[in-house]
Amino acid sequence: MQFKTLFLTLIPAAMAHFHLTYPLWRADSLALATNNQSISQWFYPCAGIGQETSANNRTAWPLDGGSVVWNSSHPDALTTINLGLGAAVTTFNISLIPMYNETGAGQTCLSKVGQSKLSPLNITDGTQASIQVITISSTGAALYNCADIVFRKNATVLDSGSCKNDTGVSGSAIVNANAGNSSEGSGSSGNSTTKGSGAIKGSVPVAALFAAVGAGMYASL
Ligand SMILES: *[C@@H]1O[C@H](CO)[C@@H](O)[C@H](O)[C@H]1NC(C)=O
Ligand SMILES: *[C@@H]1O[C@H](CO)[C@@H](O)[C@H](O)[C@H]1NC(C)=O
Ligand SMILES: *[C@@H]1O[C@H](CO)[C@@H](O)[C@H](O)[C@H]1NC(C)=O
Ligand SMILES: *[C@@H]1O[C@H](CO)[C@@H](O)[C@H](O)[C@H]1NC(C)=O
Ligand SMILES: *[C@@H]1O[C@H](CO)[C@@H](O)[C@H](O)[C@H]1NC(C)=O
Ligand SMILES: *[C@@H]1O[C@H](CO)[C@@H](O)[C@H](O)[C@H]1NC(C)=O
Ligand SMILES: *[C@@H]1O[C@H](CO)[C@@H](O)[C@H](O)[C@H]1NC(C)=O
Ligand SMILES: *[C@@H]1O[C@H](CO)[C@@H](O)[C@H](O)[C@H]1NC(C)=O
Ligand SMILES: *[C@@H]1O[C@H](CO)[C@@H](O)[C@H](O)[C@H]1NC(C)=O
Ligand SMILES: *[C@@H]1O[C@H](CO)[C@@H](O)[C@H](O)[C@H]1NC(C)=O
C-alpha cells in the first residue's frame, strides 16, 4: 500500500518529458537518455544531442513559418519555440512565439509558427536552421528538444488531419505572480517585465494571446 502510493507519486516526476514529433527531432532524446548520461531533456540547449545527427535529414519548412507538433506528459508547462539560423546553430535567438502556458497532457499542434517573426527576415529557399522547443514544468525545470529544418519555397504546413490537439490540450496566457491581488488595482498589470503579456490576466485562447501580444512583444525584442 505504502509502496504503491510512493510509486504513484514518483511516476510523474520520473516520466516528465515531451516528444517533439514535427519537425522530425534530432533523435529520440528520451530513448537515448536511458543508456547515455550525456543525453537528457534537462540539458540546454538540445538535450545533449548534436546537430550533426540530423544535418542530412532536415524537415522542409515553409519560408514564412511551419507546423510544430509535440506531445507532453505534463498537465501544464510554460512553452516556447525558438529558432537559430544556420547549418550549425549555437544560438537560438529568434523567439517564434511568446511563451505561453500549455495545459493538458498530450499532443499539441501549432499549425503555422513564427510568421510575424520570419517574414521580415526575408528567408530564402534552402536556408538551414534549427528549432528548439522548451517546456518548463511548474517546478521550474526546463526540458529541451531540437529539430533541424531547411526553409523551402515549396514546403507546406501540416494538413488538418495531421495537425490536431489531443482532447483536453489547450493553452492560456501566463498569469502574473500578482494576479488576484486586489491591492494592485484592476487597471494596473503590476510590474511585469514582459511588455504586453503582463496586462493579460486569467485565461485567454492562445490564438488571441498571439494576436494581442505578438506585435508588442516582437517590437520590443
Ligand atoms: C552519448 O551521446 C553523445 C552525444 O550525442 C555521443 O557523442 C556519444 O557517443 C554517446 N555515447 C554512447 C556510449 O552512445
Ligand atoms: C529522415 O526523415 C524522415 C521523415 O522526415 C524519417 O522518416 C526518416 O527515418 C529519417 N531518416 C533518418 C536516417 O533519420
Ligand atoms: C543570433 O545569433 C547569431 C549567432 O550568434 C548572430 O549572428 C545573430 O546576429 C543573432 N541575431 C539576433 C537577432 O540577435
Ligand atoms: C502523448 O501523450 C499522451 C499523454 O502523456 C500519451 O498517452 C500518448 O501515448 C502520447 N503519444 C505519443 C505519440 O507519444
Ligand atoms: C527584407 O526585404 C525588405 C524589402 O525588400 C527590406 O526592406 C528589408 O530590409 C529586408 N530585411 C532584411 C533583414 O534583409
Ligand atoms: C521542393 O524543392 C526541393 C528543392 O528545390 C526539391 O528537392 C523537392 O523535391 C521539392 N519538393 C516537392 C514536394 O516538390
Ligand atoms: C492547439 O492548441 C493550441 C493552444 O490552445 C492552439 O493555439 C492551437 O491552435 C491548437 N491547434 C489546433 C490544430 O487546433
Ligand atoms: C498554468 O496553467 C495551470 C493549469 O491551469 C495553472 O495551475 C498554472 O498556475 C498556470 N501557470 C501560469 C504561470 O500561468
Ligand atoms: C499584494 O500586493 C501588496 C503590494 O504590492 C503587497 O504588500 C501584499 O503583500 C500582496 N498580497 C498578497 C496576498 O500577495
Ligand atoms: C515598478 O517598477 C518601477 C521601475 O522599475 C519602480 O520604480 C516602481 O517602484 C515599481 N513599482 C512597484 C509597485 O513595485
Side-chain angles (χ1 to χ4, degrees):
M1 193 64 183
Q2 214 170 6
F3 173 76
K4 202 170 172 185
T5 310
L6 180 66
F7 186 69
L8 289 174
T9 310
L10 288 177
I11 280 285
M15 300 271 292
H17 64 265
F18 74 101
H19 292 235
L20 179 56
T21 51
Y22 191 88
L24 181 73
W25 57 358
R26 288 184 173 180
D28 185 339
S29 53
L30 198 66
L32 291 176
T34 59
N35 56 15
N36 188 331
Q37 293 195 341
S38 67
I39 294 176
S40 164
Q41 293 190 1
W42 306 113
F43 297 162
Y44 172 88
C46 292
I49 298 172
Q51 177 270 338
E52 67 282 356
T53 58
S54 60
N56 299 317
N57 201 23
R58 294 170 176 272
T59 302
W61 233 48
L63 299 183
D64 62 346
S67 307
V68 179
V69 186
W70 69 94
N71 190 19
S72 175
S73 65
H74 289 268
D76 58 272
L78 304 188
T79 301
T80 196
I81 302 171
N82 299 319
L83 180 106
L85 289 172
V89 171
T90 52
T91 318
F92 293 84
N93 56 4
I94 300 169
S95 298
L96 295 180
I97 61 168
M99 183 171 277
Y100 78 102
N101 191 3
E102 187 263 304
T103 56
Q107 174 172 299
T108 298
C109 177
L110 301 182
S111 170
K112 192 168 182 69
V113 168
Q115 192 162 19
S116 62
K117 208 61 196 283
L118 293 169
S119 296
L121 297 178
N122 306 333
I123 305 270
T124 52
D125 188 76
T127 299
Q128 298 182 324
S130 298
I131 284 174
Q132 175 195 50
V133 180
I134 308 177
T135 69
I136 306 174
S137 74
S138 52
T139 62
L143 298 173
Y144 304 91
N145 274 309
C146 295
D148 300 304
I149 62 166
V150 55
F151 286 101
R152 287 290 178 205
K153 266 192 299 201
N154 62 4
T156 55
V157 298
L158 289 177
D159 60 42
S160 56
S162 310
C163 186
K164 280 182 180 157
N165 287 347
D166 277 347
T167 307
V169 166
S170 186
S172 58
I174 295 170
V175 177
N176 244 339
N178 270 340
N181 184 339
S182 55
S183 73
E184 290 285 317
S186 58
S188 156
S189 62
N191 267 3
S192 170
T193 51
T194 46
K195 285 177 203 159
S197 64
I200 299 173
K201 290 183 180 175
S203 213
V204 296
V206 169
L209 167 68
F210 289 5
V213 176
M217 225 164 108
Y218 296 135
S220 68
L221 285 175

